[in-house]
Amino acid sequence: MSWRAVHIEDADLITRARAGDVAAYEGIVRRYQDVALRTAYLVCPETDADDAVQDAFLKAFAALPRFRDGSPLRPWLLRIVANEARNRRRSAGRRQGLAMRAADADPSPAVDPGPEGAVMAAETRSELLAALGSLRDEDREVLGARFLLDLSEAETAETLGLPRGTVKSRTSRALGRLREALAATAGADR
Amino acid sequence: MTDRLVRLDDDALGAALRDLATAVDWPASGAIASDGPDIATRVRVRLQDAPVARARAPWRPARRAIILALAALLALAAVAGAVGLGLPGLRIFQGGSPVSPPPTLAPSASIPTGPPGSTLGLGRLTTLADLDAAAGRQITLPSDPLLGPPDAAYVDPLKGDQVALVWAPRPDLPPTLDPGVGLVLMSFDGLIEDEYFGKFIDSGAVLEPADVGSMDGYWFSGAPHIFFYEGNGGGFVDDDRRWVGQALVWSDGTTTYRIETSLPEADAIRIATSLE
């Protein structure tokens, strides 16, 4: 399915949802619920992520009349999700923390560990996740959006409510601070 | 391995993070989980359970008359604002009624089943224990001994996490226009930027300034009035409009409160100040 076909289908669902077709809106939610939940997971405690996404989709439904026709739906939805997740993070405070976990390591990965960027050893994944989780919120959010969610700079900007130029500079600075966090971990292990 | 990550340049470290995405234990939306419906299903059910949630295309014929009537009142609203008839997040409209008043003000003999307030479209029912978390802020309960703890609590995420506490009627707490409701205390963030609430005052309603402790407020009495709110861009959520009897509205500067009650004004003010 081409991007254009997806886009048209979004537009059709939006039109129907605006007219009160809840089933059409359910289709929109189902299409974006996974990336929405991952977005919330990057921002707020895991225990709040599901509720944040549900409430965000309810708010988005009410806000559909204000959605600008022809603009991409995904970042518009993700911005509402990110805002809702931030509200819940503020409510939860830092007590619960943000603990992204690595899935159980596959004992027999299909791809051999190779050069940088290829499949990493489970231990390295955990260290990288821990370093990412130790960053301040704005750094973790921009790296999460750009690389874990694989959003474009433009999508990241809209999702996080930032100017596009800020995304580029903040990503660079956040990568630097990620290196510092990794270096601190490596120093502690020696 | 960590040493090697530290030496990576930005592009390579970014690639490592993209690779990491496949290893994160992401929460499941339910679509692939076995423990219940997915988020899309739950959202659909919540929308169907909350008629206020209907998104509307602008200028549907059924809404046109209402919107035109309200638009005609904007000048009056500006006058009202000029003389101070407003609170943060609240606009008060004065003028003729856009819809017919209720046939009778007498409480109906039929009392709806379910928790008190469940038919008023107040949002999602929650428990007092979960109220703060559901609303995303600390909710103060009135300490006035007449009331005791509320019988039901609701949070509406579609209206800036508006909170509604509801008490059932009792011999010392007469019913409101809704026979199953003795008193409603609502609160919402009065500083939300993209929407505001409004009260539409029918010509028979009386509006008086009221001192609520150190805070400014208004007391609505006489003929019933309509409560509604408007989203940004004129998207009236008119399913929420309903007739309201006596009401006290006040603001502490950040949060706007509303009490609907058949109690006298002095009792409503006493209950309001017990929140301080």
Side-chain angles (χ1 to χ4, degrees):
Chain A
M1 183 179 292
S2 70
W3 178 88
R4 181 169 177 77
V6 171
H7 180 69
I8 292 171
E9 197 171 336
D10 271 354
D12 179 53
L13 290 173
I14 290 167
T15 300
R16 290 163 51 196
R18 279 174 172 161
D21 184 341
V22 173
Y25 189 66
E26 182 182 8
I28 292 174
V29 176
R30 185 157 288 119
R31 180 171 298 169
Y32 294 108
Q33 62 185 359
D34 287 331
V35 69
L37 193 58
R38 293 181 177 201
T39 301
Y41 186 56
L42 288 170
V43 175
C44 69
E46 180 184 5
T47 50
D48 288 337
D50 192 289
D51 284 345
V53 171
Q54 283 190 60
D55 288 350
F57 274 120
L58 290 174
K59 289 179 177 177
F61 183 74
L64 272 181
R66 301 201 294 274
F67 175 74
R68 197 170 69 245
D69 288 329
S71 58
L73 180 61
R74 184 169 80 159
W76 184 81
L77 289 171
L78 294 185
R79 181 166 188 169
I80 297 172
V81 170
N83 284 339
E84 186 65 27
R86 284 170 173 157
N87 288 340
R88 288 175 181 268
R89 181 176 69 203
R90 277 193 289 271
S91 174
R94 300 294 288 177
R95 296 185 303 279
Q96 299 182 39
L98 294 140
M100 284 183 291
R101 296 184 307 271
D104 292 339
D106 184 347
S108 55
V111 181
D112 289 335
E116 296 83 341
V119 176
M120 289 178 284
E123 183 182 358
T124 307
R125 287 171 175 164
S126 296
E127 289 170 350
L128 191 51
L129 266 179
L132 189 62
S134 73
L135 297 180
R136 60 189 188 184
D137 294 335
E138 64 179 34
D139 289 342
R140 188 187 60 259
E141 286 176 9
V142 76
L143 293 184
R146 283 287 288 121
F147 301 116
L148 296 187
L149 302 182
D150 206 17
L151 302 184
S152 68
E153 282 185 358
E155 286 181 310
T156 299
E158 180 162 358
T159 298
L160 300 181
L162 299 170
R164 191 165 172 179
T166 302
V167 170
K168 199 175 188 68
S169 58
R170 185 172 291 181
T171 300
S172 179
R173 286 197 300 273
L175 286 170
R177 282 191 273 268
L178 181 64
R179 275 192 208 88
E180 293 169 6
L182 288 165
T185 302
D189 289 344
R190 288 190 190 105
Chain B
M1 287 295 284
T2 304
D3 283 338
R4 195 179 72 172
L5 288 171
V6 172
R7 292 194 298 271
L8 298 179
D9 63 17
D10 279 3
D11 288 344
L13 190 53
L17 285 169
R18 283 196 177 91
D19 181 56
L20 181 67
T22 63
V24 172
D25 185 17
W26 298 106
S29 65
I32 56 174
S34 58
D35 57 350
D38 65 354
I39 287 176
T41 302
R42 282 176 279 155
V43 167
R44 191 239 313 145
V45 168
R46 287 177 63 184
L47 287 171
Q48 289 172 330
D49 285 349
V52 67
R54 296 288 183 274
R56 300 300 185 87
W59 295 105
R60 279 190 359 175
R63 302 180 60 228
R64 193 177 185 120
I66 295 170
I67 294 176
L68 286 174
L70 290 170
L73 295 168
L74 288 179
L76 286 169
V79 172
V83 298
L85 298 183
L87 296 168
L90 180 77
R91 306 287 170 81
I92 296 171
F93 294 81
Q94 290 182 298
S97 168
V99 295
S100 300
T104 174
L105 303 186
S108 150
S110 126
I111 297 179
T113 58
S118 58
T119 62
L120 299 183
L122 298 173
R124 188 171 13 147
L125 183 67
T126 186
T127 65
L128 289 181
D130 295 333
L131 183 58
D132 287 359
R137 63 186 187 277
Q138 185 173 1
I139 304 301
T140 304
L141 303 180
S143 58
D144 190 276
L146 172 67
L147 290 180
D151 297 304
Y154 302 84
V155 175
D156 193 338
L158 297 177
K159 298 180 194 166
D161 291 326
Q162 169 190 278
V163 170
L165 306 174
V166 183
W167 285 260
R170 303 188 303 252
D172 57 352
L173 192 60
T176 61
L177 291 179
D178 186 303
V181 172
L183 186 141
V184 182
L185 169 58
M186 305 180 76
S187 62
F188 59 88
D189 182 354
L191 298 181
I192 50 179
E193 295 176 355
D194 62 347
E195 58 186 29
Y196 64 84
F197 292 73
K199 271 187 174 293
F200 187 98
I201 313 302
D202 186 32
S203 56
V206 177
L207 169 65
E208 303 167 290
D211 292 329
V212 182
S214 58
M215 302 170 284
D216 293 330
Y218 297 98
W219 173 249
F220 300 81
S221 59
H225 57 278
I226 292 174
F227 185 83
F228 69 91
Y229 85 96
E230 178 196 8
N232 192 19
F236 288 94
V237 185
D238 51 3
D239 280 343
D240 191 44
R241 293 190 299 76
R242 60 190 178 85
W243 289 96
V244 173
Q246 295 181 158
L248 178 68
V249 182
W250 76 100
S251 172
D252 64 8
T254 56
T255 301
T256 297
Y257 301 88
R258 177 162 67 106
I259 284 178
E260 295 175 25
T261 179
S262 293
L263 292 171
E265 178 183 4
D267 288 348
I269 289 178
R270 192 188 67 242
I271 291 168
T273 52
S274 77
L275 281 166
E276 290 187 282

